[in-house]
Amino acid sequence: MSDFSDQRSVPKQRDVQVAEIGTETLVFRSRSWTRLRFEREYARQRGTTANSYLIQAAQTALIDPPGESFTDIFLEELQQHQYYQRINYIILSHVNPNRIATLKQLLMLASYATVICSKPAANVLRAAFADEPLDNRAAQEDEALEFGIQYDAERTFNLHIVRDEEVLNLGNGHQLQFRFVPTPRHPDEICTYDPASGILFTDKLFGAHVCGDELFDAHWRSLSDDRRYYFDCLHAAQAPQVEAALDKLEPFKPKLYAPAHGPIVRHSLSRLTLDYRDWCQQQQNKELNVALLYTSAYGNTGLLAKAIADGITQAGVAVKTINCEFAEPSEIAQAVETSDGFVIGSPTLGGHAPVQIQTALGIVLSTATKSKLAGVFGSYGWSGEAVDLLETKLQDAGYRFGFEPIRVKFKPTEEVLQHCEAAGAEFAQTLRKTKKAWSPRQQMADAQSDRTEQAVGRIVGSLCVITTHQNGQDQSILTSWVSQATFNPPGLTIAVSKEQANTLADAGTAFVLNVLKEGRNVRRHFMKPASPREDRFAELATHPASNGCLVLEDALAYLECTVDNRMECGDHWLIYATVDNGKVLETVGVTAVQHRKSAGYY
């Protein structure tokens, strides 16, 4: 058994820390001190751990092998001490493609082990291992709970579908108790409680993406920001389901939470539980809320749904995410009826939207008032009829769209997911700006105002990013409200909201105006609201100008400026600045321009 807690202060890039955390129970913490992915949940760049657990009783159970980023070092650790020879059960709290990659190699070592998971997870495993057509892979209600899955022509593994509140006896008092706690992001989620050790294996609940040598959360106050950030990224958009999961787990009285990521929770167990409930309530008590409805066949539409939900929540609007495959019509109707707007997404299967989405669409058309803002998205393989259906039906019914319909072929790229986040933020911003009581009288009263807003909205401006460097921090503002003001000295005016005015507060403040180029994705990067302590420039090529502010190397041109004066104008401040220096970075290129349909939003 290897324990790296006493090794040198500069850690390896990746390793496995093994330690005893309870009666006959080991944790395998596959660790990385670097950011594994470019998803928002890893953006704090403090590394991560993928926690797996081994209960060695009369029978042995391995809980949650890690994803493929750690496959080699994890299996090497199992082989070094021959742990794999004693594994009777492999328990999967949820299934994703990364975990399947490790599972396939693990089953070559522990070929007699039985895989235990929920019914939705069994469906995913059958599709991944046996390559069964998706339309035929759903487990039937009367299907046997234990069966074999054949794969790679000559290989077979045993699978057991666990039922809610089922108990697995490993011997020596280890009576594992299972709870089915599905969420839209992880519809196959189960948690496992072991009364012999008092450990509740929580998988995606109560985790944090942070890597270190500390096994437990002794310094739990220093983890507060990481834990909240993790919650906001993974759970904010599914707060009602998370709260329901907490209720379902409440009868257990654990001594430890054993999550999938980060330190094991021992010192702040009650505090973190209370925090989770408070954060769930904060999400549900927000002034505006959106119902996000979707079904995902191969997981691609689910990725789009998560990215859009992230964008909405980052913009300060609550989201209730519902996977229609696992929701009752009454739940969908209530979510739509109580929402201020809705977004609906669908895969295309056989040229059609799945039955669950067709049902949800019918509920929307019969429940949602025309004042609700709408959004449409989806993925497809060979055609995109489902998205066309949703768009046409909602458009014909008179709904307004908060973003242009999103159609994605096959698996979305990182660029596509960033676009989806930006679309979610745009949806939230439009919802906040245009939310009004809907009545014929108000509609008539606002008609002239709407026409005026539409006319003013036809004023266009070049898209720019303002960068400043103050108190040792680089800050940014995305704007199109820029205009040349004077010839001599060369000067310009910028209108900024009062929330952003402090960035350019004083005469003499230096900044750089980066003029963006059409066809690049810099705009989408800055459309997303910044998270606390997030470095907005970490993934961008930059260099400091002579005034110390950052130049975006993907910009078309930049101007080094100094604030000369400012004036309060209604709900904005008008900044006049002189241009001290400038340079065109690309002689061939077109300035990015912001075209608006209304003056009611940026």
Side-chain angles (χ1 to χ4, degrees), residues 227-263:
R227 285 171 163 177
R228 179 59 193 263
Y229 187 80
Y230 179 90
F231 176 92
D232 287 342
C233 291
L234 270 70
H235 300 310
Q238 52 188 21
Q241 294 89 343
V242 171
E243 196 165 27
L246 297 179
D247 291 339
K248 204 164 186 178
L249 299 174
E250 191 171 15
F252 299 134
K253 304 301 178 185
K255 300 176 182 176
L256 302 176
Y257 286 154
H261 305 288

Side-chain angles (χ1 to χ4, degrees), residues 298-525:
Y298 295 94
N300 297 334
T301 308
L303 291 174
L304 302 178
K306 175 191 174 297
I308 293 171
D310 285 347
I312 295 173
T313 55
Q314 287 177 67
V317 174
V319 179
K320 183 171 185 179
T321 305
I322 296 178
N323 187 331
C324 297
E325 187 176 357
F326 305 101
E328 295 294 330
S330 58
E331 181 185 356
I332 297 173
Q334 182 182 18
V336 172
E337 187 175 1
T338 57
S339 70
D340 299 291
F342 62 88
V343 180
I344 183 168
S346 175
T348 297
L349 300 178
H352 302 282
V355 173
Q356 298 93 335
I357 288 297
Q358 295 184 37
T359 300
L361 178 60
I363 293 172
V364 167
L365 292 173
S366 62
T367 304
T369 62
K370 300 303 182 291
S371 63
K372 295 184 188 292
L373 199 64
V376 171
F377 68 96
S379 62
Y380 61 95
W382 305 108
S383 59
E385 292 90 346
V387 180
D388 294 336
L389 168 71
L390 297 175
E391 179 184 9
T392 301
K393 290 293 186 182
L394 294 175
Q395 200 169 46
D396 291 347
Y399 292 99
R400 298 166 298 138
F401 290 99
F403 55 79
E404 291 295 321
I406 297 173
R407 297 173 176 81
V408 178
K409 191 171 185 179
F410 300 124
K411 185 176 181 179
T413 63
E414 180 63 29
E415 178 182 343
V416 168
L417 294 178
Q418 289 178 2
H419 171 69
C420 289
E421 279 194 34
E426 179 184 355
F427 188 94
Q429 185 182 71
T430 304
L431 182 63
R432 185 177 287 110
K433 293 287 185 180
T434 62
K435 180 73 174 74
K436 299 173 183 177
W438 186 264
S439 68
R441 177 178 296 180
Q442 176 121 28
Q443 186 178 8
M444 292 177 62
D446 290 345
Q448 180 59 47
S449 175
D450 290 343
R451 287 194 292 269
T452 302
E453 280 195 0
Q454 291 171 14
V456 176
R458 295 307 187 268
I459 301 174
V460 300
S462 58
L463 272 169
C464 302
V465 173
I466 298 168
T467 58
T468 63
H469 185 82
Q470 299 176 20
N471 300 321
Q473 292 186 333
D474 295 305
Q475 296 180 317
S476 63
I477 300 174
L478 176 67
T479 183
S480 63
W481 291 20
V482 180
S483 178
Q484 182 174 349
T486 56
F487 287 124
N488 188 19
L492 50 85
T493 57
I494 307 170
V496 295
S497 67
K498 291 186 175 179
E499 291 80 8
Q500 298 172 318
N502 288 336
T503 305
L504 303 172
D506 302 317
T509 299
F511 66 92
V512 166
L513 185 76
N514 295 273
V515 183
L516 301 188
K517 180 184 177 182
E518 186 66 39
R520 290 190 174 158
N521 296 319
V522 178
R523 167 193 179 184
R524 294 172 185 166
H525 181 84

Side-chain angles (χ1 to χ4, degrees), residues 14 16 30 50 65-79 97-106 109:
R14 299 189 186 187
V16 180
S30 301
E68 61 183 334
S69 298
F70 300 109
T71 299
D72 293 339
I73 59 173
F74 174 74
L75 295 182
E76 181 182 343
E77 188 69 32
L78 286 183
Q79 290 176 289
N98 282 329
R99 186 165 285 177
I100 288 173
T102 304
L103 180 62
K104 286 185 175 182
Q105 294 194 44
L106 177 60
L109 298 175

